[in-house]
Amino acid sequence: MLVPSLFLNRKSGHRHLRFRDMAHDILGPNWGRYYVGPIQFMVCYGAVVGGVLLGGQCMKAIYLLSHPDGTMKLYEFVIIFGCLILILAQIPSFHSLRHINMIALALCLTYSACATAGSIYVGNSSKGPNKDYSIRGDNESRVFGMFNAIGIIATTFGNGIIPEIQATIAPPVKGKMFKGLCFCYAVLGVTFFSVAISGYWAFGNQSGGLILGNFLDGGKPLVPKWFIFTTNFLVILQQSAIAAVYLQPTNEVLEKTFADPLSKEFSLRNVIPRIISRSLSVIIATFVAAMLPFFGDINSVLGAFGFIPLDFILPVVFFNLTFKPSKSSPIFWLNLSIAVVFSAIGVIAAIAAVRQMGLDAKNYQLFANVDH
Protein backbone atom coordinates (compact mmCIF):
# COMPACT_ATOMS: atom_id res chain seq x y z
CA MET A 1 0.00 0.00 0.00
CA LEU A 2 2.81 2.37 0.85
CA VAL A 3 5.20 1.77 -2.05
CA PRO A 4 3.12 3.29 -4.88
CA SER A 5 2.61 6.46 -2.87
CA LEU A 6 6.35 6.85 -2.30
CA PHE A 7 7.09 6.05 -5.94
CA LEU A 8 4.72 8.70 -7.24
CA ASN A 9 6.25 11.16 -4.82
CA ARG A 10 9.68 10.61 -6.40
CA LYS A 11 8.26 10.52 -9.92
CA SER A 12 6.12 13.66 -9.91
CA GLY A 13 7.35 15.53 -6.85
CA HIS A 14 3.87 15.27 -5.33
CA ARG A 15 3.41 13.57 -1.96
CA HIS A 16 0.03 11.93 -1.67
CA LEU A 17 -1.78 12.78 1.53
CA ARG A 18 -4.83 10.54 1.11
CA PHE A 19 -5.61 7.04 -0.12
CA ARG A 20 -8.16 8.48 -2.53
CA ASP A 21 -5.45 10.77 -3.95
CA MET A 22 -3.48 7.66 -4.90
CA ALA A 23 -6.56 6.15 -6.52
CA HIS A 24 -7.18 9.42 -8.37
CA ASP A 25 -3.72 9.42 -9.97
CA ILE A 26 -3.39 5.67 -10.56
CA LEU A 27 -6.93 4.58 -11.48
CA GLY A 28 -8.50 7.86 -12.50
CA PRO A 29 -10.53 10.65 -10.82
CA ASN A 30 -13.81 8.74 -10.68
CA TRP A 31 -12.25 5.82 -8.77
CA GLY A 32 -10.95 8.10 -6.06
CA ARG A 33 -14.15 10.12 -5.78
CA TYR A 34 -16.81 7.43 -6.12
CA TYR A 35 -15.15 4.20 -4.98
CA VAL A 36 -12.14 4.55 -2.68
CA GLY A 37 -13.42 7.67 -0.92
CA PRO A 38 -16.87 6.27 -0.04
CA ILE A 39 -15.41 2.92 1.07
CA GLN A 40 -12.88 4.61 3.32
CA PHE A 41 -15.56 6.88 4.70
CA MET A 42 -17.76 3.84 5.45
CA VAL A 43 -14.87 2.00 7.14
CA CYS A 44 -13.95 4.90 9.39
CA TYR A 45 -17.52 5.80 10.26
CA GLY A 46 -18.41 2.14 10.84
CA ALA A 47 -15.49 1.89 13.26
CA VAL A 48 -16.99 4.81 15.19
CA VAL A 49 -20.36 3.01 15.34
CA GLY A 50 -18.68 -0.18 16.57
CA GLY A 51 -16.64 1.73 19.13
CA VAL A 52 -19.70 3.49 20.55
CA LEU A 53 -21.54 0.17 20.81
CA LEU A 54 -18.63 -1.58 22.53
CA GLY A 55 -18.24 1.30 24.97
CA GLY A 56 -21.95 1.10 25.82
CA GLN A 57 -21.73 -2.66 26.37
CA CYS A 58 -18.85 -2.20 28.81
CA MET A 59 -20.78 0.49 30.67
CA LYS A 60 -23.72 -1.88 30.96
CA ALA A 61 -21.46 -4.62 32.35
CA ILE A 62 -20.21 -2.26 35.07
CA TYR A 63 -23.79 -1.23 35.85
CA LEU A 64 -24.94 -4.84 36.25
CA LEU A 65 -22.15 -5.48 38.75
CA SER A 66 -23.53 -2.92 41.18
CA HIS A 67 -27.21 -3.31 40.17
CA PRO A 68 -27.83 -6.98 39.23
CA ASP A 69 -31.56 -6.30 38.98
CA GLY A 70 -31.14 -2.95 37.26
CA THR A 71 -33.62 -1.97 34.57
CA MET A 72 -31.44 0.26 32.39
CA LYS A 73 -31.18 -1.00 28.79
CA LEU A 74 -28.15 -1.28 26.54
CA TYR A 75 -29.24 1.58 24.27
CA GLU A 76 -29.24 3.94 27.27
CA PHE A 77 -25.57 3.18 27.94
CA VAL A 78 -24.79 3.56 24.24
CA ILE A 79 -26.29 7.06 24.40
CA ILE A 80 -24.24 7.89 27.51
CA PHE A 81 -21.03 6.75 25.81
CA GLY A 82 -22.03 8.67 22.70
CA CYS A 83 -22.16 11.84 24.80
CA LEU A 84 -18.54 11.24 25.82
CA ILE A 85 -17.52 10.83 22.17
CA LEU A 86 -19.45 14.02 21.38
CA ILE A 87 -16.97 15.91 23.54
CA LEU A 88 -13.88 14.14 22.17
CA ALA A 89 -15.09 14.75 18.62
CA GLN A 90 -14.25 18.43 18.98
CA ILE A 91 -10.49 17.66 19.10
CA PRO A 92 -9.11 19.48 16.02
CA SER A 93 -6.84 17.00 14.20
CA PHE A 94 -4.74 13.82 14.11
CA HIS A 95 -1.78 15.72 15.53
CA SER A 96 -3.87 16.68 18.55
CA LEU A 97 -4.57 12.97 19.18
CA ARG A 98 -0.96 11.78 19.47
CA HIS A 99 -1.00 11.68 23.28
CA ILE A 100 -4.41 10.01 23.32
CA ASN A 101 -3.09 7.36 20.92
CA MET A 102 -0.19 6.57 23.25
CA ILE A 103 -2.57 6.21 26.18
CA ALA A 104 -4.84 4.01 24.04
CA LEU A 105 -1.90 1.69 23.27
CA ALA A 106 -1.14 1.25 26.97
CA LEU A 107 -4.82 0.61 27.69
CA CYS A 108 -5.03 -1.96 24.86
CA LEU A 109 -2.08 -3.92 26.23
CA THR A 110 -3.43 -3.75 29.77
CA TYR A 111 -7.01 -4.84 29.15
CA SER A 112 -5.91 -7.58 26.74
CA ALA A 113 -3.66 -8.97 29.47
CA CYS A 114 -6.58 -8.73 31.91
CA ALA A 115 -8.98 -10.48 29.51
CA THR A 116 -6.45 -13.26 28.93
CA ALA A 117 -5.78 -13.69 32.65
CA GLY A 118 -9.51 -13.70 33.40
CA SER A 119 -10.20 -16.37 30.77
CA ILE A 120 -7.41 -18.57 32.13
CA TYR A 121 -8.76 -18.12 35.66
CA VAL A 122 -12.30 -19.09 34.65
CA GLY A 123 -11.08 -21.99 32.52
CA ASN A 124 -9.15 -23.44 35.45
CA SER A 125 -11.93 -22.94 38.01
CA SER A 126 -15.10 -24.86 38.70
CA LYS A 127 -17.13 -21.69 38.05
CA GLY A 128 -16.64 -21.86 34.33
CA PRO A 129 -19.24 -23.29 31.93
CA ASN A 130 -19.01 -26.75 30.42
CA LYS A 131 -16.60 -26.48 27.53
CA ASP A 132 -18.05 -27.38 24.16
CA TYR A 133 -15.81 -26.88 21.14
CA SER A 134 -18.18 -28.30 18.56
CA ILE A 135 -19.17 -26.12 15.59
CA ARG A 136 -22.86 -25.35 15.78
CA GLY A 137 -25.29 -25.17 12.88
CA ASP A 138 -25.76 -27.00 9.60
CA ASN A 139 -23.23 -27.05 6.75
CA GLU A 140 -24.63 -23.88 5.19
CA SER A 141 -24.38 -21.95 8.45
CA ARG A 142 -20.83 -23.20 8.99
CA VAL A 143 -19.66 -22.10 5.55
CA PHE A 144 -21.23 -18.66 5.83
CA GLY A 145 -19.95 -18.42 9.40
CA MET A 146 -16.41 -19.06 8.17
CA PHE A 147 -16.59 -16.21 5.65
CA ASN A 148 -18.29 -14.02 8.23
CA ALA A 149 -15.29 -14.65 10.48
CA ILE A 150 -12.93 -13.70 7.64
CA GLY A 151 -14.69 -10.33 7.45
CA ILE A 152 -14.22 -9.84 11.19
CA ILE A 153 -10.53 -10.77 10.94
CA ALA A 154 -10.08 -8.28 8.09
CA THR A 155 -11.60 -5.58 10.30
CA THR A 156 -9.37 -6.54 13.22
CA PHE A 157 -6.10 -6.49 11.34
CA GLY A 158 -6.94 -4.00 8.59
CA ASN A 159 -6.50 -0.26 8.67
CA GLY A 160 -8.21 1.97 6.16
CA ILE A 161 -6.43 5.15 7.24
CA ILE A 162 -2.77 4.07 7.04
CA PRO A 163 -2.01 6.47 4.14
CA GLU A 164 -3.52 9.32 6.15
CA ILE A 165 -1.25 8.44 9.08
CA GLN A 166 1.69 8.14 6.70
CA ALA A 167 0.97 11.63 5.39
CA THR A 168 1.63 13.13 8.84
CA ILE A 169 5.16 11.65 9.10
CA ALA A 170 8.16 13.80 8.24
CA PRO A 171 10.59 12.44 5.59
CA PRO A 172 12.14 9.91 5.29
CA VAL A 173 8.77 8.18 5.44
CA LYS A 174 9.47 4.63 4.27
CA GLY A 175 11.72 3.48 7.12
CA LYS A 176 9.63 5.10 9.83
CA MET A 177 6.39 3.70 8.45
CA PHE A 178 7.79 0.18 8.11
CA LYS A 179 8.98 0.20 11.73
CA GLY A 180 5.62 1.56 12.83
CA LEU A 181 3.71 -1.14 10.95
CA CYS A 182 5.91 -3.90 12.38
CA PHE A 183 5.30 -2.59 15.89
CA CYS A 184 1.57 -2.19 15.20
CA TYR A 185 1.07 -5.75 13.99
CA ALA A 186 3.27 -7.16 16.76
CA VAL A 187 0.94 -5.52 19.29
CA LEU A 188 -2.13 -6.74 17.40
CA GLY A 189 -0.79 -10.29 17.24
CA VAL A 190 0.01 -10.43 20.95
CA THR A 191 -3.22 -8.86 22.15
CA PHE A 192 -5.87 -10.31 19.82
CA PHE A 193 -4.46 -13.83 19.61
CA SER A 194 -3.91 -14.13 23.35
CA VAL A 195 -7.50 -13.04 24.06
CA ALA A 196 -8.99 -15.19 21.28
CA ILE A 197 -7.11 -18.38 22.21
CA SER A 198 -7.63 -18.11 25.97
CA GLY A 199 -11.26 -17.03 25.55
CA TYR A 200 -12.15 -19.92 23.26
CA TRP A 201 -10.32 -22.36 25.52
CA ALA A 202 -12.25 -21.12 28.58
CA PHE A 203 -15.74 -20.75 27.06
CA GLY A 204 -15.74 -22.83 23.87
CA ASN A 205 -18.54 -22.06 21.43
CA GLN A 206 -20.29 -20.02 24.12
CA SER A 207 -17.68 -17.26 23.86
CA GLY A 208 -19.24 -13.97 22.79
CA GLY A 209 -18.12 -11.27 20.40
CA LEU A 210 -17.05 -9.32 23.51
CA ILE A 211 -15.24 -11.86 25.69
CA LEU A 212 -15.65 -9.66 28.77
CA GLY A 213 -19.37 -10.44 28.61
CA ASN A 214 -18.56 -14.09 29.40
CA PHE A 215 -17.18 -13.08 32.79
CA LEU A 216 -20.79 -12.57 33.89
CA ASP A 217 -22.97 -15.70 33.86
CA GLY A 218 -26.62 -14.76 34.37
CA GLY A 219 -25.52 -11.69 36.32
CA LYS A 220 -23.20 -13.79 38.50
CA PRO A 221 -19.51 -12.82 38.22
CA LEU A 222 -17.10 -15.66 37.42
CA VAL A 223 -14.10 -13.51 38.38
CA PRO A 224 -13.75 -10.92 41.17
CA LYS A 225 -16.00 -7.92 40.70
CA TRP A 226 -13.14 -5.44 40.89
CA PHE A 227 -11.46 -7.29 38.01
CA ILE A 228 -14.53 -6.98 35.76
CA PHE A 229 -14.96 -3.33 36.70
CA THR A 230 -11.30 -2.50 35.98
CA THR A 231 -11.16 -4.35 32.67
CA ASN A 232 -14.37 -2.84 31.33
CA PHE A 233 -13.29 0.63 32.43
CA LEU A 234 -10.02 0.22 30.50
CA VAL A 235 -11.98 -0.78 27.38
CA ILE A 236 -14.25 2.27 27.76
CA LEU A 237 -11.24 4.58 27.83
CA GLN A 238 -9.57 2.82 24.89
CA GLN A 239 -12.69 2.83 22.74
CA SER A 240 -13.06 6.55 23.41
CA ALA A 241 -9.63 7.09 21.85
CA ILE A 242 -10.38 4.80 18.88
CA ALA A 243 -13.65 6.57 18.10
CA ALA A 244 -11.92 9.95 18.27
CA VAL A 245 -9.24 8.77 15.79
CA TYR A 246 -11.66 7.25 13.28
CA LEU A 247 -13.84 10.36 13.36
CA GLN A 248 -11.06 12.46 11.84
CA PRO A 249 -11.56 11.44 8.16
CA THR A 250 -15.29 12.05 8.55
CA ASN A 251 -14.58 15.42 10.12
CA GLU A 252 -12.28 16.34 7.26
CA VAL A 253 -14.95 15.60 4.64
CA LEU A 254 -17.59 17.58 6.50
CA GLU A 255 -15.36 20.56 7.20
CA LYS A 256 -14.11 20.72 3.64
CA THR A 257 -17.77 21.05 2.63
CA PHE A 258 -18.94 23.57 5.21
CA ALA A 259 -15.81 25.48 6.29
CA ASP A 260 -14.41 28.65 4.76
CA PRO A 261 -10.67 28.25 3.96
CA LEU A 262 -10.25 32.02 3.79
CA SER A 263 -11.32 32.43 7.43
CA LYS A 264 -9.16 31.57 10.45
CA GLU A 265 -9.45 28.07 11.93
CA PHE A 266 -10.99 29.29 15.19
CA SER A 267 -13.15 32.05 13.75
CA LEU A 268 -16.90 31.84 14.37
CA ARG A 269 -17.42 31.18 10.65
CA ASN A 270 -15.50 27.89 10.99
CA VAL A 271 -16.05 26.95 14.63
CA ILE A 272 -19.85 26.89 14.47
CA PRO A 273 -20.10 24.65 11.35
CA ARG A 274 -17.38 22.41 12.84
CA ILE A 275 -19.27 21.91 16.10
CA ILE A 276 -22.58 21.30 14.32
CA SER A 277 -21.22 18.87 11.71
CA ARG A 278 -19.12 16.88 14.16
CA SER A 279 -21.94 16.70 16.67
CA LEU A 280 -24.39 15.47 14.04
CA SER A 281 -21.97 12.75 12.88
CA VAL A 282 -21.58 11.46 16.45
CA ILE A 283 -25.34 11.62 17.10
CA ILE A 284 -26.06 9.57 13.96
CA ALA A 285 -23.35 7.01 14.84
CA THR A 286 -24.77 6.69 18.36
CA PHE A 287 -28.30 6.21 17.02
CA VAL A 288 -27.17 3.45 14.64
CA ALA A 289 -25.18 1.71 17.41
CA ALA A 290 -28.18 1.79 19.74
CA MET A 291 -30.57 0.62 17.02
CA LEU A 292 -28.39 -2.29 15.77
CA PRO A 293 -26.46 -3.56 18.81
CA PHE A 294 -24.63 -6.41 17.07
CA PHE A 295 -20.90 -5.80 17.42
CA GLY A 296 -19.78 -8.90 15.51
CA ASP A 297 -22.13 -8.12 12.62
CA ILE A 298 -20.81 -4.58 12.33
CA ASN A 299 -17.23 -5.88 12.19
CA SER A 300 -18.02 -8.46 9.51
CA VAL A 301 -19.80 -5.88 7.31
CA LEU A 302 -16.87 -3.47 7.63
CA GLY A 303 -14.39 -6.19 6.78
CA ALA A 304 -16.28 -7.49 3.74
CA PHE A 305 -17.22 -4.15 2.17
CA GLY A 306 -14.32 -2.00 3.38
CA PHE A 307 -11.15 -3.50 4.76
CA ILE A 308 -10.76 -6.38 2.28
CA PRO A 309 -10.83 -4.04 -0.78
CA LEU A 310 -8.71 -1.34 0.87
CA ASP A 311 -6.06 -3.58 2.42
CA PHE A 312 -5.88 -6.67 0.21
CA ILE A 313 -7.05 -5.76 -3.30
CA LEU A 314 -6.28 -2.13 -4.12
CA PRO A 315 -2.63 -2.11 -2.89
CA VAL A 316 -1.56 -4.92 -5.26
CA VAL A 317 -3.53 -3.33 -8.11
CA PHE A 318 -1.80 -0.01 -7.41
CA PHE A 319 1.59 -1.76 -7.46
CA ASN A 320 1.04 -3.45 -10.82
CA LEU A 321 -0.33 -0.31 -12.45
CA THR A 322 2.40 1.92 -11.03
CA PHE A 323 5.52 -0.19 -11.48
CA LYS A 324 4.20 -2.20 -14.46
CA PRO A 325 6.15 -5.41 -13.76
CA SER A 326 6.59 -7.78 -16.68
CA LYS A 327 3.69 -10.17 -17.20
CA SER A 328 6.21 -12.99 -17.13
CA SER A 329 7.50 -11.97 -13.68
CA PRO A 330 6.35 -13.79 -10.49
CA ILE A 331 5.43 -10.51 -8.75
CA PHE A 332 2.88 -9.63 -11.43
CA TRP A 333 1.08 -12.97 -11.14
CA LEU A 334 1.36 -13.01 -7.36
CA ASN A 335 -0.33 -9.61 -7.14
CA LEU A 336 -2.95 -10.59 -9.69
CA SER A 337 -3.69 -13.81 -7.78
CA ILE A 338 -4.05 -11.90 -4.52
CA ALA A 339 -6.45 -9.44 -6.13
CA VAL A 340 -8.61 -12.19 -7.70
CA VAL A 341 -8.69 -14.43 -4.61
CA PHE A 342 -9.53 -11.64 -2.20
CA SER A 343 -12.12 -10.21 -4.57
CA ALA A 344 -13.91 -13.57 -4.46
CA ILE A 345 -13.50 -13.78 -0.69
CA GLY A 346 -14.82 -10.23 -0.32
CA VAL A 347 -17.96 -10.98 -2.34
CA ILE A 348 -18.74 -14.15 -0.37
CA ALA A 349 -17.91 -12.45 2.94
CA ALA A 350 -20.26 -9.58 2.03
CA ILE A 351 -23.08 -12.05 1.34
CA ALA A 352 -22.34 -13.84 4.63
CA ALA A 353 -22.32 -10.56 6.57
CA VAL A 354 -25.64 -9.40 5.14
CA ARG A 355 -27.10 -12.87 5.76
CA GLN A 356 -26.00 -12.83 9.40
CA MET A 357 -27.45 -9.38 9.97
CA GLY A 358 -30.73 -10.63 8.49
CA LEU A 359 -30.76 -13.60 10.85
CA ASP A 360 -30.04 -11.39 13.86
CA ALA A 361 -32.74 -8.97 12.76
CA LYS A 362 -35.25 -11.85 12.94
CA ASN A 363 -34.12 -12.85 16.43
CA TYR A 364 -33.81 -9.37 17.91
CA GLN A 365 -35.89 -6.25 17.62
CA LEU A 366 -34.42 -2.79 17.08
CA PHE A 367 -32.76 -1.30 20.15
CA ALA A 368 -32.46 -4.83 21.58
CA ASN A 369 -31.01 -5.19 25.07
CA VAL A 370 -28.36 -7.78 24.14
CA ASP A 371 -25.72 -8.79 26.70
CA HIS A 372 -22.67 -9.17 24.44
Side-chain angles (χ1 to χ4, degrees):
M1 180 187 302
L2 306 176
V3 176
S5 176
L6 295 171
F7 172 77
L8 288 176
N9 180 34
R10 294 195 300 267
K11 182 178 178 181
S12 64
H14 174 64
R15 182 176 177 182
H16 292 85
L17 301 180
R18 300 289 181 264
F19 201 146
R20 57 185 176 272
D21 294 339
M22 294 169 59
H24 180 281
D25 282 358
I26 298 173
L27 299 177
N30 289 334
W31 284 90
R33 184 180 301 111
Y34 300 113
Y35 181 70
V36 174
I39 286 181
Q40 194 176 34
F41 181 87
M42 180 198 72
V43 164
C44 294
Y45 199 67
V48 176
V49 174
V52 172
L53 173 57
L54 184 55
Q57 288 177 328
C58 292
M59 283 186 169
K60 181 187 174 185
I62 293 175
Y63 170 75
L64 291 177
L65 281 178
S66 54
H67 299 83
D69 299 323
T71 58
M72 289 187 68
K73 307 298 182 183
L74 174 60
Y75 67 84
E76 297 177 85
F77 293 102
V78 170
I79 293 173
I80 294 173
F81 187 79
C83 292
L84 172 62
I85 302 303
L86 191 63
I87 298 173
L88 294 178
Q90 311 309 323
I91 295 176
S93 64
F94 265 131
H95 185 70
S96 306
L97 296 170
R98 63 193 185 281
H99 301 304
I100 294 179
N101 286 336
M102 183 60 67
I103 295 173
L105 171 61
L107 293 172
C108 179
L109 293 172
T110 305
Y111 84 68
S112 296
C114 291
T116 302
S119 297
I120 294 174
Y121 173 83
V122 173
N124 285 322
S125 69
S126 58
K127 300 178 182 179
N130 294 327
K131 300 175 184 177
D132 182 5
Y133 301 112
S134 63
I135 302 176
R136 293 176 291 183
D138 53 24
N139 291 334
E140 179 185 344
S141 297
R142 293 179 182 182
V143 171
F144 278 112
M146 178 183 69
F147 283 98
N148 207 42
I150 290 175
I152 295 175
I153 293 172
T155 301
T156 302
F157 289 95
N159 195 321
I161 56 174
I162 282 182
E164 275 75 359
I165 297 173
Q166 173 185 303
T168 65
I169 299 177
V173 177
K174 187 175 180 180
K176 296 177 182 178
M177 199 66 194
F178 182 76
K179 291 178 182 178
L181 286 174
C182 289
F183 180 74
C184 173
Y185 282 103
V187 171
L188 280 174
V190 171
T191 54
F192 282 96
F193 277 105
S194 62
V195 173
I197 293 172
S198 61
Y200 186 70
W201 171 76
F203 303 104
N205 57 22
Q206 299 297 318
S207 56
L210 175 60
I211 199 66
L212 302 183
N214 288 100
F215 293 163
L216 284 172
D217 185 15
K220 179 181 178 182
L222 301 179
V223 294
K225 287 186 176 182
W226 64 265
F227 184 87
I228 299 178
F229 177 87
T230 302
T231 307
N232 280 278
F233 183 71
L234 291 173
V235 177
I236 290 171
L237 294 178
Q238 202 256 356
Q239 287 301 312
S240 301
I242 289 178
V245 168
Y246 274 95
L247 269 172
Q248 294 305 314
T250 304
N251 295 339
E252 182 210 356
V253 172
L254 294 174
E255 288 167 24
K256 184 179 291 185
T257 303
F258 299 109
D260 180 10
L262 300 179
S263 300
K264 294 183 179 180
E265 180 181 3
F266 295 104
S267 64
L268 286 178
R269 170 62 183 82
N270 285 330
V271 169
I272 293 177
R274 181 189 307 143
I275 293 176
I276 294 175
S277 62
R278 292 187 178 197
S279 299
L280 282 176
S281 67
V282 174
I283 291 171
I284 294 172
T286 303
F287 179 78
V288 173
M291 183 175 63
L292 302 171
F294 313 117
F295 185 68
D297 292 353
I298 292 174
N299 280 335
S300 63
V301 170
L302 289 179
F305 287 97
F307 284 106
I308 289 179
L310 288 179
D311 291 336
F312 298 100
I313 300 173
L314 288 177
V316 295
V317 172
F318 286 174
F319 186 96
N320 277 0
L321 293 177
T322 301
F323 289 98
K324 295 180 173 58
S326 171
K327 293 184 179 180
S328 61
S329 65
I331 189 66
F332 174 84
W333 290 104
L334 175 61
N335 286 341
L336 183 61
S337 299
I338 292 173
V340 172
V341 169
F342 277 96
S343 294
I345 290 175
V347 171
I348 300 174
I351 295 173
V354 174
R355 174 183 177 273
Q356 188 60 47
M357 289 200 75
L359 292 175
D360 286 336
K362 292 180 180 178
N363 297 329
Y364 299 98
Q365 60 182 0
L366 297 179
F367 301 97
N369 188 35
V370 297
D371 293 326
H372 55 267

